[in-house]
Amino acid sequence: MLKLVSWNVNGLRACLKKGFQEAFDGLDADIFCLQETKLQPGQVTLELPGYEQYWNSAEKKGYSGTAVFTRLHPLSVRYGMDIDAHDHEGRLITLELENFYFVCCYTPNSQDGLRRIDYRMEWEDDLRAYLMGLDRVKPVVYCGDLNVAHEEIDLKNPKTNRGNAGFSDQEREKMTLLLHSGFTDTFRYLYPELTGAYSWWSYRFHARENNAGWRIDYFIVSDRLVPEVGDSKIHADLFGSDHCPVELELNL
């Protein structure tokens, strides 16, 4: 059984002061990946015995960034998707493992008023093509903060949020297209009717204590990996960020 965990830490330096190490140790994952590290190389040193560490930082300081910590030695590691327009913000790390590709992603936010929606659509199309290319070689585990609540069941207030960043028709359609391209949302596959399951809450309006959240953090797998899915979990009881960790158990 492989245990995989993804967490948008919304600034790793801040999260380190809010119980990151305890959460990391308690989850005891084989692969643990982060989004929104907001770090430049050398700004933190993590002592994680038994794990190899891979970091992809944005060129802009204090912004974006991803990391992967793995007990499994990768055959190769790739940063970005070799498209210049997308590879300056530290948003993607791909590990090639023996049986699958592991892709950690921090999807660009479309921003207030959908200011960045055109760029987001380019990212979605290029990323989908990238994942499909990997999938032709070996199956894919794609995870991270994907910055979209796919269906109305995936956020507390769908009516008032329709058209907002993260719940625009355009973003939702791109997720549908991905899932029709040979991939499965593991949590919804296992729990198709489960309501109130969220991974992000605004810091405003007591959103977390009222569980007025959004499910925007995912583990998505190639369809042929679905029979190997043991469980897909949302650790809403773990604090330290405005997101909580999400987990996938794979029988590999």
Side-chain angles (χ1 to χ4, degrees):
M1 174 78 77
L2 278 183
K3 189 173 183 182
L4 314 174
V5 169
S6 173
W7 194 6
N8 178 322
V9 290
N10 191 10
L12 181 56
R13 285 170 291 182
C15 192
L16 283 166
K17 299 171 185 170
K18 302 177 189 173
F20 173 82
Q21 192 68 52
E22 293 84 348
F24 181 89
D25 294 342
L27 287 167
D28 191 31
D30 297 295
I31 304 178
F32 198 118
C33 73
L34 309 181
Q35 301 86 41
E36 216 172 350
T37 54
K38 299 183 179 178
L39 287 173
Q40 298 303 117
Q43 285 191 304
V44 298
T45 301
L46 287 184
E47 299 294 334
L48 304 174
Y51 290 87
E52 298 178 26
Q53 302 185 26
Y54 300 96
W55 300 79
N56 193 7
S57 299
E59 293 174 7
K60 179 179 173 182
K61 291 182 177 176
Y63 178 71
S64 188
T66 48
V68 180
F69 314 131
T70 175
R71 288 173 173 153
L72 307 175
H73 178 66
L75 304 177
S76 66
V77 180
R78 184 171 172 181
Y79 301 95
M81 53 177 123
D82 294 335
I83 297 175
D84 186 68
H86 302 315
D87 289 351
H88 297 274
E89 296 184 349
R91 293 185 177 276
L92 205 65
I93 303 176
T94 304
L95 270 56
E96 181 186 359
L97 299 160
E98 188 176 352
N99 298 320
F100 64 98
Y101 286 104
F102 180 88
V103 181
C104 167
C105 179
Y106 177 40
T107 300
N109 191 301
S110 296
Q111 301 184 346
D112 290 343
L114 302 182
R115 290 195 312 274
R116 215 181 183 195
I117 191 71
D118 291 343
Y119 173 66
R120 170 68 177 265
M121 296 296 100
E122 286 177 37
W123 168 279
E124 293 285 355
D125 290 340
D126 290 339
L127 193 278
R128 187 176 64 259
Y130 174 74
L131 294 174
M132 291 171 70
L134 295 178
D135 185 55
R136 285 192 284 272
V137 180
K138 59 178 77 169
V140 174
V141 174
Y142 167 51
C143 67
D145 174 3
L146 305 187
N147 259 317
V148 60
H150 183 217
E151 302 288 359
E152 291 194 351
I153 194 175
D154 295 315
L155 72 167
K156 180 66 175 281
N157 297 308
K159 298 284 187 288
T160 52
N161 279 296
R162 186 171 178 193
N164 290 343
F167 199 60
S168 69
D169 293 351
Q170 301 98 302
E171 292 162 310
R172 295 170 65 196
E173 285 164 6
K174 293 297 185 188
M175 175 60 86
T176 298
L177 193 53
L178 175 67
L179 297 177
H180 287 166
S181 301
F183 298 93
T184 297
D185 171 359
T186 59
F187 186 83
R188 258 319 146 221
Y189 173 79
L190 292 171
Y191 307 106
E193 307 297 332
L194 185 63
T195 59
Y198 309 126
S199 64
W200 173 79
W201 303 262
S202 169
Y203 279 133
R204 297 180 294 175
F205 313 122
H206 303 285
R208 193 155 186 176
E209 60 193 79
N210 296 325
N211 198 30
W214 300 48
R215 189 176 72 92
I216 59 175
D217 301 86
Y218 294 80
F219 270 97
I220 289 172
V221 301
S222 296
D223 287 348
R224 63 192 184 280
L225 278 183
V226 169
E228 315 308 328
V229 171
D231 202 357
S232 190
K233 301 177 182 177
I234 300 176
H235 291 284
D237 57 331
L238 290 178
F239 292 77
S241 167
D242 52 349
H243 295 249
C244 72
V246 295
E247 176 187 329
L248 179 67
E249 292 178 358
L250 267 188
N251 298 309
L252 285 180

